[in-house]
Amino acid sequence: MFKNLIIAVLIATLLVYCLGMVADSWGHVHLYLDDDLMSPAVTLVGGVLLAITFIVLGLMLAVSLIGAMAFVFICVLGALLIAGIGALWPALLGVLIIVWLVRDAKTTDQV
C-alpha cells in the first residue's frame, strides 16, 4: 500500500507540474498573496501540496468506505448464520439423528 501511495504522489506531482506549466503559459494563471505575485516555483509547490492533500484524503475516504462496507457485510452474514442456526437447530438435530439411524453400517471383514 505504501508503494501505491508513493506512485500516486509522484503521478500527482507530475500532473500538477505539467498542468501548472500549461496554465501559466496559455492561461497566464498566477498566484497572488496580499498583492504580491508569487513565483512560479511557489505556485507549483502550493499546487503540489494541495494535490497531495486531496489524494491522501481521497485514499483515506476510499479505504475507510470499503472497509466499513466489508465490515457491515460480514456482520450481517454472521448474524444471519447465527439466527438461522439458533432457529433451526432442532430440525438439524432431528435430520442428523435420522441420517445416523438409517445409514448402513459398514462391516469390516477380518481375514
Side-chain angles (χ1 to χ4, degrees), residues 43-59:
T43 304
L44 178 65
V45 169
V48 167
L49 289 177
L50 186 64
I52 290 172
T53 303
F54 285 147
I55 287 171
V56 169
L57 287 175
L59 181 68

Side-chain angles (χ1 to χ4, degrees), residues 10-65:
L10 290 175
I11 290 172
T13 304
L14 181 66
L15 284 174
V16 167
Y17 178 76
C18 292
L19 294 176
M21 289 298 144
V22 168
D24 188 42
S25 301
W26 290 355
H28 303 290
V29 175
H30 302 287
L31 180 65
Y32 285 92
L33 186 62
D34 195 31
D35 293 333
D36 293 328
L37 176 64
M38 297 289 116
S39 68
V42 172
T43 304
L44 178 65
V45 169
V48 167
L49 289 177
L50 186 64
I52 290 172
T53 303
F54 285 147
I55 287 171
V56 169
L57 287 175
L59 181 68
M60 288 178 5
L61 180 66
V63 169
S64 66
L65 283 177

Side-chain angles (χ1 to χ4, degrees), residues 69-108:
M69 288 189 310
F71 179 72
V72 167
F73 182 72
I74 290 170
C75 287
V76 166
L77 282 180
L80 289 175
L81 179 69
I82 290 171
I85 290 174
L88 299 176
W89 75 266
L92 292 174
L93 183 62
V95 168
L96 287 175
I97 289 173
I98 291 172
V99 168
W100 180 64
L101 290 174
V102 175
R103 73 179 177 156
D104 293 335
K106 294 182 181 179
T107 59
T108 58

